[in-house]
């Protein structure tokens, strides 16, 4: 499975972005979970949101509640991350990650994901 992340860029505070993660080599329905992580400069990679692909259930981190929305486009085999009301602290590299089986209880751990995209940079600045 290969993941290709895109959609990052420079945006002013309060703006919006939609990130995309296109999967190839396997359909989304054959994967257990796809998630987004982000890594701010000088900080560890952190979980943002996950989508359990079989059930369609979503898992948001506390910091992502309300402004982040994960969705899927089965026709394009792509998962999107809509980010609204962007803040400077949202700046970082955003990575998509996937795993074949859904990791019960530990979906927010980066080390359990098998497939990773290359990351897309989001910069929130005026």
């Amino acid at each position: 499975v290969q993941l290709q992340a895109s959609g990052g860029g420079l945006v002013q505070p309060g703006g919006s972005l939609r990130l995309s993660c296109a999967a190839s080599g396997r359909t989304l329905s054959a994967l257990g979970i796809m998630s987004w992580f982000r890594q701010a400069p000088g900080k560890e990679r952190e979980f943002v949101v996950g989508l359990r692909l079989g059930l369609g259930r979503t898992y948001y981190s506390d910091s992502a509640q309300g402004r982040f929305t994960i969705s899927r486009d089965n026709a394009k085999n792509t998962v999107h991350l809509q980010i609204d009301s962007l803040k400077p602290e949202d700046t970082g590299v955003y990575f998509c990650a996937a795993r074949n089986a859904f990791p019960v209880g530990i979906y927010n751990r980066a080390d359990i994901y098998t497939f990773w995209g290359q990351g897309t940079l989001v910069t929130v600045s005026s």
Side-chain angles (χ1 to χ4, degrees):
V1 177
Q2 292 186 329
L3 304 178
Q4 180 73 38
S6 62
L10 173 63
V11 63
Q12 293 186 343
S16 298
L17 276 177
R18 190 176 80 156
L19 309 183
S20 298
C21 182
S24 60
R26 190 165 298 172
T27 61
L28 293 181
S29 60
L31 294 169
I33 184 169
M34 184 174 287
S35 297
W36 287 93
F37 289 76
R38 68 182 179 188
Q39 188 163 17
K43 295 188 177 181
E44 292 187 355
R45 195 169 298 188
E46 65 171 347
F47 174 82
V48 176
V49 60
L51 173 64
R52 186 171 183 175
L53 294 162
L55 298 179
R57 185 174 178 179
T58 56
Y59 305 85
Y60 289 88
S61 66
D62 290 343
S63 62
Q65 287 282 356
R67 298 188 299 115
F68 292 68
T69 305
I70 192 169
S71 62
R72 66 192 290 178
D73 183 339
N74 289 331
K76 296 183 178 180
N77 217 41
T78 297
V79 170
H80 300 292
L81 178 64
Q82 176 73 32
I83 314 175
D84 298 316
S85 303
L86 277 155
K87 304 176 181 180
E89 51 263 42
D90 294 322
T91 294
V93 179
Y94 284 70
F95 298 89
C96 55
R99 178 185 163 94
N100 288 329
F102 180 74
V104 178
I106 55 172
Y107 52 81
N108 57 342
R109 283 175 43 182
D111 63 326
I112 58 91
Y113 285 82
T114 309
F115 311 109
W116 286 86
Q118 83 287 5
T120 184
L121 177 62
V122 173
T123 303
V124 185
S125 175
S126 55

